[in-house]
Amino acid sequence: ADRGAVGGVQFRDERTDPLAVRDAVDVLDDHLEVLGQRIVDNGVILAPVLALPSPNHQPAADPARTDSLRPTRLSDVATVEVEWLWHHRIPLGMLTVVFAPPGVGKGTLVAAIAARVTRGEALPGDPPRAAGQVVFVVAEDDVSRTLRPRLVAAGADDARVLVFGPECAIRLPRDAHAVEEAAQSAALVVVDPLRGVTNGNSARQVRATLTALDAIGRRTGAAVAGVHHTNRSRDGAPRA
């Protein structure tokens, strides 16, 4: 997809043009179902994530613990059905990464989804659900100048939105307890961007952030959406 385009629609810069948010949300409101169906083709990917412990972490063996470890027979494991915030796109109780190059419209898409959650309005293809609370962890955008106007333009019930702004300097896993406490009654937690809450850039530190967010989702039952900006390779193709 072209930079700055979602669903074939070209958006103006959300940060410099206040009308861009309202125009983009109007388009998304009309075409969100089409956008959802074509989302991968247009460069925005919703990817449920199962965060795993680091394979490089090899603690010393504890003989007493080793003796107590036994595998579980699969026939003894109960199947748990996945519940969805947005069917087959955003699961409840798990981490989903929303990633695409800058300017594609990830923030506008997430705002449109969050707004529908706060109003109890159905997401495309789903039945209506009870209105829910949304928690935003924002590491870069100004809350009063960017996040609030974007959500209001999307029609969100702002009384159902809790925000950790950049001034909170949330870092994961260090501050996971604060996010988890806020998410106890939430249907959706949005972290934007993931790199902004990660305490470093190493694979181990990124894995620790993803694991913390996945645990927050599992313990609270909320859907957790982490926004990730990809880079572009020399040939212009998106890359992580």
Side-chain angles (χ1 to χ4, degrees), residues 29-126:
D29 199 48
D30 292 337
H31 299 286
L32 192 54
E33 184 168 2
V34 175
L35 176 64
Q37 295 169 352
R38 299 177 57 196
I39 207 163
V40 174
D41 293 335
N42 283 283
V44 181
I45 302 173
L46 303 179
V49 172
L50 176 60
L52 299 175
S54 170
N56 297 322
H57 181 56
Q58 299 291 341
D62 181 344
R65 175 169 167 77
T66 301
D67 291 342
S68 67
L69 293 176
R70 294 291 182 272
T72 300
R73 192 174 300 280
L74 187 59
S75 59
D76 295 332
V77 178
T79 299
V80 178
E81 185 176 354
V82 176
E83 298 183 63
W84 300 92
L85 180 73
W86 187 6
H87 194 62
H88 285 172
R89 291 183 174 88
I90 303 178
L92 291 166
M94 295 176 65
L95 170 64
T96 298
V97 176
V98 183
F99 62 99
V104 169
K106 298 180 298 296
T108 305
L109 174 64
V110 170
I113 293 170
R116 291 192 176 209
V117 170
T118 64
R119 298 195 307 264
E121 185 176 340
L123 288 162
D126 286 4

Coordinates of all heavy atoms in Angstrom, one line a residue, residues 29-126:
D29 N -15.5 4.5 9.2 CA -16.8 4.1 9.7 C -17.7 3.5 8.5 O -18.4 2.6 8.7 CB -17.6 5.3 10.2 CG -18.7 4.9 11.2 OD1 -18.5 4.1 12.0 OD2 -19.8 5.5 11.0
D30 N -17.5 4.1 7.3 CA -18.2 3.6 6.1 C -17.6 2.3 5.6 O -18.3 1.5 5.0 CB -18.3 4.6 5.0 CG -19.1 5.8 5.4 OD1 -20.0 5.7 6.3 OD2 -18.9 6.9 4.9
H31 N -16.3 2.2 5.7 CA -15.6 1.1 5.0 C -14.8 0.2 5.9 O -14.0 -0.6 5.5 CB -14.6 1.7 4.0 CG -15.3 2.6 3.0 ND1 -16.0 2.0 1.9 CD2 -15.3 3.9 2.8 CE1 -16.5 3.0 1.2 NE2 -16.1 4.2 1.7
L32 N -15.1 0.2 7.3 CA -14.3 -0.6 8.2 C -14.5 -2.1 7.9 O -13.5 -2.9 8.0 CB -14.8 -0.3 9.6 CG -13.9 -0.9 10.7 CD1 -12.4 -0.5 10.5 CD2 -14.4 -0.5 12.1
E33 N -15.6 -2.5 7.4 CA -15.8 -3.9 7.1 C -14.9 -4.3 5.9 O -14.3 -5.4 5.9 CB -17.3 -4.3 6.8 CG -17.5 -5.7 6.5 CD -19.0 -6.1 6.5 OE1 -19.8 -5.2 6.6 OE2 -19.3 -7.3 6.3
V34 N -14.9 -3.5 4.9 CA -14.0 -3.8 3.7 C -12.6 -3.7 4.1 O -11.8 -4.6 3.8 CB -14.3 -2.7 2.6 CG1 -13.3 -3.0 1.5 CG2 -15.7 -2.9 2.1
L35 N -12.3 -2.7 5.0 CA -10.9 -2.6 5.5 C -10.5 -3.8 6.2 O -9.4 -4.3 6.1 CB -10.8 -1.4 6.4 CG -9.4 -1.1 7.0 CD1 -8.4 -0.8 6.0 CD2 -9.5 0.0 8.0
G36 N -11.4 -4.3 7.1 CA -11.1 -5.5 7.8 C -10.8 -6.7 7.0 O -9.9 -7.5 7.2
Q37 N -11.5 -6.8 5.9 CA -11.3 -8.0 4.9 C -10.0 -7.8 4.1 O -9.4 -8.8 3.8 CB -12.5 -8.1 4.0 CG -13.8 -8.4 4.7 CD -15.0 -8.3 3.8 OE1 -14.9 -7.8 2.7 NE2 -16.2 -8.7 4.2
R38 N -9.6 -6.6 3.9 CA -8.5 -6.4 3.0 C -7.2 -5.9 3.8 O -6.3 -5.4 3.2 CB -8.8 -5.3 1.9 CG -10.0 -5.8 1.1 CD -10.3 -4.7 0.1 NE -9.2 -4.3 -0.7 CZ -9.2 -3.1 -1.4 NH1 -10.2 -2.3 -1.4 NH2 -8.1 -2.8 -2.1
I39 N -7.3 -6.0 5.1 CA -6.3 -5.3 6.0 C -4.9 -5.8 5.7 O -4.0 -5.0 5.7 CB -6.7 -5.5 7.4 CG1 -6.2 -4.3 8.3 CG2 -6.2 -6.8 8.0 CD1 -6.8 -4.2 9.6
V40 N -4.7 -7.0 5.4 CA -3.3 -7.5 5.2 C -2.8 -7.0 3.8 O -1.7 -6.6 3.7 CB -3.3 -9.1 5.2 CG1 -1.9 -9.6 4.7 CG2 -3.6 -9.6 6.6
D41 N -3.7 -7.0 2.8 CA -3.3 -6.5 1.5 C -2.9 -5.0 1.5 O -2.1 -4.6 0.7 CB -4.4 -6.7 0.5 CG -4.7 -8.1 0.2 OD1 -3.8 -9.0 0.4 OD2 -5.9 -8.4 -0.2
N42 N -3.4 -4.3 2.5 CA -3.1 -2.8 2.5 C -2.0 -2.5 3.5 O -1.8 -1.4 3.9 CB -4.4 -2.1 2.9 CG -5.3 -1.9 1.7 OD1 -5.1 -1.1 0.8 ND2 -6.4 -2.7 1.6
G43 N -1.4 -3.5 4.0 CA -0.1 -3.3 4.8 C -0.3 -3.1 6.3 O 0.6 -2.8 7.0
V44 N -1.6 -3.3 6.8 CA -1.8 -3.2 8.3 C -2.1 -4.6 8.7 O -3.1 -5.2 8.2 CB -2.9 -2.3 8.6 CG1 -3.1 -2.3 10.2 CG2 -2.6 -0.9 8.1
I45 N -1.4 -5.2 9.6 CA -1.6 -6.6 10.0 C -2.0 -6.7 11.5 O -1.3 -6.1 12.3 CB -0.3 -7.4 9.8 CG1 0.1 -7.3 8.3 CG2 -0.5 -8.9 10.2 CD1 1.4 -7.9 8.0
L46 N -3.1 -7.4 11.8 CA -3.5 -7.7 13.1 C -3.0 -9.1 13.4 O -3.4 -10.1 12.8 CB -5.0 -7.6 13.3 CG -5.6 -6.3 12.9 CD1 -7.1 -6.4 13.1 CD2 -5.1 -5.2 13.8
A47 N -2.0 -9.3 14.3 CA -1.4 -10.5 14.5 C -1.4 -11.0 16.0 O -0.7 -10.4 16.8 CB 0.1 -10.5 14.1
P48 N -2.3 -11.9 16.3 CA -2.3 -12.4 17.7 C -1.0 -13.0 18.0 O -0.4 -13.7 17.2 CB -3.4 -13.5 17.7 CG -4.3 -13.1 16.6 CD -3.4 -12.5 15.5
V49 N -0.5 -12.8 19.3 CA 0.8 -13.2 19.6 C 0.8 -14.1 20.9 O 0.1 -13.8 21.8 CB 1.7 -12.0 20.0 CG1 3.0 -12.4 20.6 CG2 1.9 -11.1 18.7
L50 N 1.5 -15.2 20.9 CA 1.8 -16.0 22.1 C 3.2 -15.7 22.5 O 4.1 -16.2 21.8 CB 1.5 -17.4 21.8 CG 1.8 -18.4 23.0 CD1 1.0 -18.0 24.2 CD2 1.6 -19.8 22.6
A51 N 3.4 -14.9 23.5 CA 4.8 -14.6 24.0 C 5.3 -15.8 24.7 O 4.7 -16.3 25.6 CB 4.8 -13.4 24.8
L52 N 6.6 -16.2 24.4 CA 7.2 -17.3 25.0 C 8.5 -16.8 25.8 O 9.1 -15.8 25.4 CB 7.6 -18.3 23.9 CG 6.5 -18.9 23.1 CD1 7.1 -19.8 22.0 CD2 5.6 -19.7 24.0
P53 N 8.9 -17.6 26.8 CA 10.1 -17.2 27.5 C 11.3 -17.3 26.6 O 11.3 -18.0 25.6 CB 10.2 -18.3 28.6 CG 8.8 -18.8 28.8 CD 8.2 -18.7 27.4
S54 N 12.3 -16.6 26.9 CA 13.5 -16.5 26.1 C 14.2 -17.9 26.0 O 14.5 -18.5 27.1 CB 14.5 -15.5 26.7 OG 15.8 -15.7 26.0
P55 N 14.5 -18.4 24.8 CA 15.2 -19.7 24.7 C 16.6 -19.6 25.1 O 17.3 -20.6 25.4 CB 15.0 -20.0 23.2 CG 14.9 -18.7 22.5 CD 14.1 -17.8 23.5
N56 N 17.1 -18.4 25.2 CA 18.5 -18.2 25.6 C 18.7 -18.3 27.1 O 19.9 -18.3 27.6 CB 19.1 -16.9 25.1 CG 19.1 -16.9 23.5 OD1 19.3 -17.9 22.9 ND2 18.7 -15.7 23.0
H57 N 17.6 -18.2 27.9 CA 17.7 -18.2 29.3 C 17.8 -19.6 29.8 O 16.8 -20.4 29.7 CB 16.5 -17.5 29.9 CG 16.5 -17.4 31.4 ND1 17.6 -16.9 32.1 CD2 15.6 -17.8 32.3 CE1 17.3 -16.9 33.4 NE2 16.2 -17.5 33.6
Q58 N 18.9 -20.0 30.3 CA 19.2 -21.4 30.8 C 19.6 -21.4 32.2 O 20.8 -21.4 32.5 CB 20.2 -22.1 29.9 CG 19.8 -22.2 28.4 CD 18.6 -23.2 28.2 OE1 18.4 -24.0 29.1 NE2 17.9 -23.1 27.1
P59 N 18.7 -21.3 33.2 CA 19.1 -21.3 34.6 C 19.7 -22.6 35.0 O 19.5 -23.7 34.4 CB 17.8 -21.0 35.3 CG 16.7 -21.5 34.4 CD 17.3 -21.3 33.0
A60 N 20.5 -22.6 36.1 CA 21.1 -23.8 36.6 C 20.0 -24.8 37.0 O 19.0 -24.4 37.6 CB 22.0 -23.5 37.7
A61 N 20.2 -26.1 36.8 CA 19.2 -27.1 37.1 C 19.1 -27.2 38.6 O 20.1 -27.2 39.3 CB 19.6 -28.4 36.5
D62 N 17.8 -27.3 39.1 CA 17.5 -27.5 40.5 C 17.1 -29.0 40.6 O 16.0 -29.3 40.2 CB 16.4 -26.6 41.0 CG 16.1 -26.8 42.4 OD1 16.5 -27.8 43.0 OD2 15.4 -25.9 43.0
P63 N 17.9 -29.9 41.2 CA 17.6 -31.3 41.2 C 16.2 -31.6 41.9 O 15.4 -32.4 41.4 CB 18.7 -31.9 42.1 CG 19.8 -31.0 41.9 CD 19.2 -29.6 41.8
A64 N 15.9 -30.9 43.0 CA 14.6 -31.1 43.6 C 13.4 -30.7 42.7 O 12.4 -31.4 42.6 CB 14.5 -30.3 44.9
R65 N 13.6 -29.6 42.0 CA 12.5 -29.2 41.0 C 12.5 -30.1 39.8 O 11.4 -30.5 39.4 CB 12.8 -27.7 40.6 CG 11.9 -27.2 39.5 CD 12.0 -25.7 39.3 NE 11.3 -25.3 38.1 CZ 10.0 -25.2 38.0 NH1 9.2 -25.4 39.0 NH2 9.5 -24.8 36.8
T66 N 13.6 -30.5 39.3 CA 13.6 -31.4 38.2 C 12.9 -32.7 38.5 O 12.1 -33.2 37.6 CB 15.1 -31.8 37.8 OG1 15.8 -30.5 37.5 CG2 15.1 -32.7 36.6
D67 N 13.1 -33.2 39.7 CA 12.4 -34.5 40.1 C 10.9 -34.3 40.1 O 10.1 -35.3 39.9 CB 12.9 -35.0 41.4 CG 14.3 -35.5 41.4 OD1 14.8 -35.7 40.2 OD2 14.9 -35.6 42.4
S68 N 10.4 -33.0 40.4 CA 9.0 -32.8 40.5 C 8.3 -32.5 39.2 O 7.1 -32.4 39.1 CB 8.7 -31.7 41.5 OG 9.2 -30.4 41.0
L69 N 9.1 -32.2 38.1 CA 8.5 -31.9 36.8 C 8.1 -33.1 36.0 O 8.9 -34.0 35.8 CB 9.6 -31.1 36.0 CG 9.9 -29.7 36.6 CD1 11.0 -29.1 35.7 CD2 8.7 -28.8 36.6
R70 N 6.9 -33.1 35.6 CA 6.4 -34.2 34.8 C 5.5 -33.6 33.7 O 4.8 -32.7 33.9 CB 5.5 -35.1 35.7 CG 6.3 -35.9 36.8 CD 7.2 -36.9 36.2 NE 7.9 -37.6 37.3 CZ 9.0 -37.3 37.9 NH1 9.6 -36.1 37.5 NH2 9.6 -38.0 38.8
P71 N 5.6 -34.2 32.5 CA 4.8 -33.7 31.4 C 3.3 -34.1 31.7 O 3.0 -35.0 32.4 CB 5.3 -34.5 30.2 CG 5.9 -35.7 30.8 CD 6.5 -35.3 32.1
T72 N 2.4 -33.3 31.0 CA 1.0 -33.6 31.1 C 0.5 -34.3 29.9 O 0.8 -33.9 28.8 CB 0.2 -32.2 31.3 OG1 0.7 -31.5 32.4 CG2 -1.3 -32.5 31.4
R73 N -0.3 -35.3 30.1 CA -0.9 -36.1 29.0 C -1.9 -35.2 28.3 O -2.8 -34.6 29.0 CB -1.5 -37.4 29.5 CG -1.9 -38.3 28.3 CD -2.4 -39.6 28.8 NE -1.4 -40.3 29.7 CZ -0.3 -41.0 29.2 NH1 -0.2 -41.1 27.8 NH2 0.5 -41.6 29.9
L74 N -1.8 -35.0 27.0 CA -2.7 -34.1 26.3 C -4.2 -34.4 26.5 O -5.0 -33.5 26.6 CB -2.3 -34.1 24.8 CG -3.1 -33.0 24.0 CD1 -2.7 -31.6 24.5 CD2 -2.7 -33.2 22.5
S75 N -4.5 -35.7 26.7 CA -5.9 -36.1 26.9 C -6.4 -35.6 28.2 O -7.7 -35.5 28.4 CB -6.0 -37.6 26.8 OG -5.2 -38.2 27.8
D76 N -5.5 -35.2 29.1 CA -6.0 -34.6 30.4 C -6.1 -33.1 30.4 O -6.5 -32.5 31.4 CB -5.0 -35.0 31.5 CG -4.9 -36.5 31.7 OD1 -5.9 -37.2 31.4 OD2 -3.9 -37.0 32.1
V77 N -5.8 -32.5 29.3 CA -5.9 -31.0 29.2 C -7.3 -30.6 28.6 O -7.6 -31.1 27.5 CB -4.8 -30.5 28.3 CG1 -4.9 -29.0 28.1 CG2 -3.4 -30.9 28.8
A78 N -8.0 -29.8 29.3 CA -9.3 -29.3 28.8 C -9.1 -28.3 27.7 O -8.2 -27.4 27.8 CB -10.1 -28.7 29.9
T79 N -9.9 -28.4 26.7 CA -9.8 -27.4 25.6 C -10.5 -26.1 26.0 O -11.6 -26.1 26.6 CB -10.5 -27.9 24.3 OG1 -9.8 -29.1 23.9 CG2 -10.5 -26.9 23.2
V80 N -9.9 -25.0 25.8 CA -10.5 -23.7 26.2 C -10.8 -22.9 24.9 O -9.9 -22.7 24.1 CB -9.5 -22.8 27.0 CG1 -10.2 -21.5 27.3 CG2 -9.2 -23.6 28.3
E81 N -12.0 -22.6 24.7 CA -12.4 -21.9 23.4 C -11.9 -20.4 23.5 O -12.1 -19.7 24.5 CB -13.9 -21.9 23.3 CG -14.4 -21.3 22.0 CD -15.9 -21.5 21.8 OE1 -16.5 -22.2 22.6 OE2 -16.5 -20.9 20.8
V82 N -11.4 -19.9 22.4 CA -11.0 -18.6 22.3 C -12.2 -17.6 22.2 O -13.1 -17.9 21.5 CB -10.0 -18.3 21.1 CG1 -9.7 -16.9 20.9 CG2 -8.8 -19.2 21.2
E83 N -12.2 -16.6 23.0 CA -13.2 -15.6 23.0 C -12.6 -14.4 22.2 O -11.4 -14.1 22.3 CB -13.7 -15.2 24.4 CG -14.3 -16.3 25.1 CD -14.8 -15.8 26.5 OE1 -15.7 -15.0 26.5 OE2 -14.3 -16.3 27.5
W84 N -13.5 -13.6 21.5 CA -13.0 -12.6 20.6 C -13.6 -11.2 21.0 O -14.8 -11.1 21.3 CB -13.4 -12.9 19.2 CG -12.8 -14.2 18.7 CD1 -13.3 -15.5 18.8 CD2 -11.5 -14.4 18.1 NE1 -12.5 -16.4 18.3 CE2 -11.3 -15.8 17.8 CE3 -10.4 -13.5 17.8 CZ2 -10.2 -16.3 17.3 CZ3 -9.3 -14.0 17.2 CH2 -9.2 -15.4 16.9
L85 N -12.7 -10.2 20.9 CA -13.2 -8.8 20.9 C -13.8 -8.5 19.5 O -14.8 -7.9 19.3 CB -12.1 -7.9 21.3 CG -12.5 -6.4 21.3 CD1 -13.4 -6.1 22.5 CD2 -11.3 -5.5 21.3
W86 N -13.0 -8.9 18.5 CA -13.4 -8.8 17.1 C -13.1 -10.2 16.5 O -11.9 -10.6 16.4 CB -12.6 -7.7 16.4 CG -13.0 -7.4 15.0 CD1 -14.1 -7.9 14.3 CD2 -12.4 -6.5 14.1 NE1 -14.2 -7.4 13.1 CE2 -13.2 -6.5 12.9 CE3 -11.3 -5.7 14.1 CZ2 -12.9 -5.8 11.8 CZ3 -11.0 -4.9 13.0 CH2 -11.8 -4.9 11.9
H87 N -14.1 -10.9 16.0 CA -14.0 -12.3 15.7 C -12.9 -12.5 14.7 O -12.9 -11.9 13.6 CB -15.4 -12.8 15.2 CG -15.4 -14.3 15.1 ND1 -15.3 -15.1 16.3 CD2 -15.6 -15.1 14.1 CE1 -15.4 -16.3 15.9 NE2 -15.6 -16.4 14.6
H88 N -12.0 -13.5 15.0 CA -11.0 -13.9 14.1 C -9.9 -12.8 13.8 O -9.1 -13.0 12.9 CB -11.5 -14.5 12.8 CG -12.1 -15.9 13.0 ND1 -12.7 -16.5 12.0 CD2 -12.1 -16.7 14.1 CE1 -13.2 -17.7 12.4 NE2 -12.8 -17.9 13.7
R89 N -10.0 -11.7 14.6 CA -9.0 -10.7 14.4 C -8.3 -10.3 15.7 O -7.1 -10.2 15.8 CB -9.7 -9.4 13.7 CG -10.1 -9.7 12.3 CD -10.6 -8.4 11.7 NE -10.9 -8.6 10.2 CZ -12.0 -9.1 9.7 NH1 -13.0 -9.4 10.6 NH2 -12.2 -9.2 8.4
I90 N -9.1 -10.0 16.7 CA -8.6 -9.5 18.0 C -9.2 -10.4 19.1 O -10.3 -10.2 19.5 CB -8.9 -8.1 18.3 CG1 -8.3 -7.2 17.2 CG2 -8.2 -7.6 19.6 CD1 -8.6 -5.7 17.3
P91 N -8.4 -11.4 19.7 CA -8.9 -12.2 20.7 C -8.9 -11.5 22.1 O -8.0 -10.6 22.4 CB -7.9 -13.4 20.7 CG -6.6 -12.8 20.2 CD -7.0 -11.7 19.3
L92 N -9.8 -11.9 23.0 CA -9.8 -11.5 24.4 C -8.8 -12.3 25.1 O -8.6 -13.5 24.8 CB -11.2 -11.6 25.0 CG -12.3 -10.7 24.5 CD1 -13.6 -11.2 24.9 CD2 -12.0 -9.3 24.9
G93 N -8.1 -11.7 26.1 CA -7.2 -12.4 27.0 C -5.9 -12.7 26.3 O -5.1 -13.6 26.8
M94 N -5.6 -12.1 25.2 CA -4.3 -12.3 24.5 C -3.8 -11.0 23.9 O -4.5 -10.0 23.9 CB -4.5 -13.3 23.3 CG -5.0 -14.7 23.8 SD -5.3 -15.8 22.4 CE -3.7 -15.9 21.6
L95 N -2.5 -11.1 23.5 CA -1.9 -9.9 22.9 C -2.0 -10.0 21.4 O -1.7 -11.1 20.8 CB -0.4 -9.9 23.3 CG 0.5 -8.9 22.5 CD1 0.1 -7.5 22.8 CD2 2.0 -9.1 22.9
T96 N -2.4 -8.9 20.7 CA -2.4 -8.8 19.3 C -1.5 -7.6 18.9 O -1.6 -6.6 19.5 CB -3.8 -8.5 18.8 OG1 -4.7 -9.6 19.1 CG2 -3.9 -8.3 17.3
V97 N -0.7 -7.8 17.9 CA 0.2 -6.7 17.4 C -0.4 -6.2 16.2 O -0.7 -6.9 15.2 CB 1.7 -7.2 17.2 CG1 2.5 -6.1 16.6 CG2 2.3 -7.7 18.5
V98 N -0.6 -4.8 16.2 CA -1.0 -4.1 15.0 C 0.2 -3.4 14.4 O 0.8 -2.5 14.9 CB -2.1 -3.0 15.3 CG1 -2.6 -2.3 14.1 CG2 -3.2 -3.6 16.2
F99 N 0.7 -4.0 13.2 CA 1.9 -3.4 12.7 C 1.9 -3.1 11.2 O 1.2 -3.8 10.5 CB 3.1 -4.3 13.1 CG 3.1 -5.7 12.5 CD1 3.8 -5.9 11.3 CD2 2.4 -6.7 13.1 CE1 3.9 -7.2 10.8 CE2 2.4 -8.0 12.6 CZ 3.2 -8.2 11.4
A100 N 2.5 -2.0 10.9 CA 2.5 -1.5 9.5 C 3.5 -0.3 9.5 O 3.9 0.2 10.5 CB 1.1 -1.0 9.1
P101 N 3.9 0.1 8.3 CA 4.8 1.3 8.2 C 4.1 2.6 8.7 O 2.9 2.7 8.7 CB 5.1 1.4 6.7 CG 4.7 0.1 6.1 CD 3.6 -0.5 6.9
P102 N 4.9 3.6 9.1 CA 4.4 4.8 9.5 C 3.5 5.5 8.4 O 3.8 5.4 7.3 CB 5.6 5.7 9.8 CG 6.7 4.7 10.1 CD 6.4 3.5 9.2
G103 N 2.4 6.1 8.9 CA 1.6 6.9 7.9 C 0.5 6.1 7.3 O -0.4 6.6 6.6
V104 N 0.4 4.7 7.6 CA -0.6 3.9 6.9 C -2.0 4.2 7.6 O -3.0 4.0 7.0 CB -0.2 2.4 7.0 CG1 -1.4 1.5 6.6 CG2 0.9 2.2 6.1
G105 N -2.0 4.5 8.9 CA -3.3 4.8 9.6 C -3.6 3.8 10.7 O -4.7 3.6 11.1
K106 N -2.5 3.3 11.4 CA -2.7 2.4 12.5 C -3.4 3.1 13.6 O -4.3 2.5 14.2 CB -1.3 1.8 13.0 CG -0.6 1.0 11.9 CD 0.7 0.6 12.5 CE 1.7 1.7 12.9 NZ 2.1 2.5 11.8
G107 N -3.0 4.3 14.0 CA -3.6 5.0 15.1 C -5.1 5.3 14.8 O -5.9 5.2 15.7
T108 N -5.4 5.6 13.6 CA -6.8 5.9 13.2 C -7.7 4.6 13.3 O -8.8 4.6 13.8 CB -6.9 6.5 11.8 OG1 -6.1 7.7 11.8 CG2 -8.3 6.9 11.5
L109 N -7.1 3.5 12.8 CA -7.8 2.2 12.9 C -8.0 1.8 14.4 O -9.2 1.4 14.7 CB -7.0 1.1 12.2 CG -7.5 -0.3 12.3 CD1 -8.8 -0.4 11.6 CD2 -6.5 -1.3 11.8
V110 N -7.0 1.9 15.2 CA -7.2 1.6 16.6 C -8.2 2.5 17.3 O -9.0 2.0 18.1 CB -5.8 1.6 17.3 CG1 -6.0 1.5 18.8 CG2 -4.9 0.5 16.8
A111 N -8.2 3.8 17.0 CA -9.2 4.7 17.5 C -10.6 4.3 17.1 O -11.5 4.4 18.0 CB -8.8 6.1 17.1
A112 N -10.8 3.9 15.9 CA -12.1 3.5 15.4 C -12.6 2.3 16.2 O -13.8 2.2 16.6 CB -12.1 3.3 13.9
I113 N -11.7 1.3 16.4 CA -12.0 0.1 17.1 C -12.3 0.4 18.6 O -13.4 0.0 19.1 CB -10.9 -0.9 17.0 CG1 -10.7 -1.4 15.6 CG2 -11.1 -2.1 18.0 CD1 -9.5 -2.3 15.4
A114 N -11.5 1.2 19.2 CA -11.7 1.6 20.6 C -13.0 2.3 20.8 O -13.7 2.1 21.8 CB -10.5 2.4 21.1
A115 N -13.3 3.2 19.8 CA -14.6 4.0 19.9 C -15.8 3.1 19.9 O -16.7 3.2 20.7 CB -14.6 5.0 18.8
R116 N -15.8 2.1 19.1 CA -16.9 1.2 19.0 C -17.0 0.3 20.3 O -18.1 0.0 20.7 CB -16.7 0.2 17.8 CG -16.9 1.0 16.5 CD -17.0 0.0 15.3 NE -17.3 0.8 14.1 CZ -18.0 0.3 13.0 NH1 -18.5 -0.9 13.1 NH2 -18.2 1.0 12.0
V117 N -15.8 0.0 20.9 CA -15.9 -0.8 22.1 C -16.5 0.1 23.2 O -17.4 -0.4 24.0 CB -14.4 -1.2 22.5 CG1 -14.4 -1.7 23.9 CG2 -13.9 -2.2 21.5
T118 N -16.2 1.4 23.3 CA -16.7 2.2 24.4 C -18.2 2.5 24.2 O -18.9 2.7 25.1 CB -16.0 3.6 24.5 OG1 -16.2 4.3 23.2 CG2 -14.5 3.4 24.7
R119 N -18.7 2.4 22.9 CA -20.1 2.6 22.7 C -20.9 1.3 22.7 O -22.2 1.4 22.6 CB -20.3 3.3 21.3 CG -19.7 4.7 21.2 CD -20.2 5.4 19.9 NE -20.1 4.6 18.7 CZ -19.1 4.7 17.8 NH1 -18.1 5.5 18.1 NH2 -19.1 4.0 16.7
G120 N -20.3 0.2 22.7 CA -21.0 -1.1 22.6 C -21.5 -1.3 21.2 O -22.4 -2.1 21.0
E121 N -20.8 -0.7 20.2 CA -21.3 -0.9 18.8 C -20.5 -2.0 18.2 O -19.4 -2.3 18.5 CB -20.9 0.4 18.0 CG -21.4 0.4 16.6 CD -21.2 1.7 15.9 OE1 -21.0 2.8 16.6 OE2 -21.2 1.7 14.7
A122 N -21.2 -2.8 17.4 CA -20.7 -4.0 16.8 C -19.5 -3.6 15.9 O -19.5 -2.7 15.1 CB -21.7 -4.7 16.0
L123 N -18.5 -4.5 15.9 CA -17.4 -4.4 15.0 C -17.8 -5.2 13.7 O -18.7 -6.1 13.9 CB -16.1 -5.0 15.6 CG -15.5 -4.1 16.6 CD1 -14.5 -4.9 17.5 CD2 -14.8 -2.9 16.0
P124 N -17.3 -5.0 12.6 CA -17.8 -5.6 11.3 C -17.8 -7.1 11.4 O -16.9 -7.8 11.8 CB -16.8 -5.2 10.3 CG -16.3 -3.8 10.8 CD -16.3 -4.0 12.3
G125 N -19.0 -7.7 11.1 CA -19.2 -9.1 11.2 C -19.6 -9.7 12.5 O -19.9 -10.8 12.6
D126 N -19.6 -8.8 13.6 CA -19.9 -9.3 14.9 C -21.2 -8.7 15.4 O -21.6 -7.7 14.9 CB -18.8 -8.8 15.9 CG -17.5 -9.6 15.8 OD1 -17.4 -10.5 14.9 OD2 -16.6 -9.3 16.5

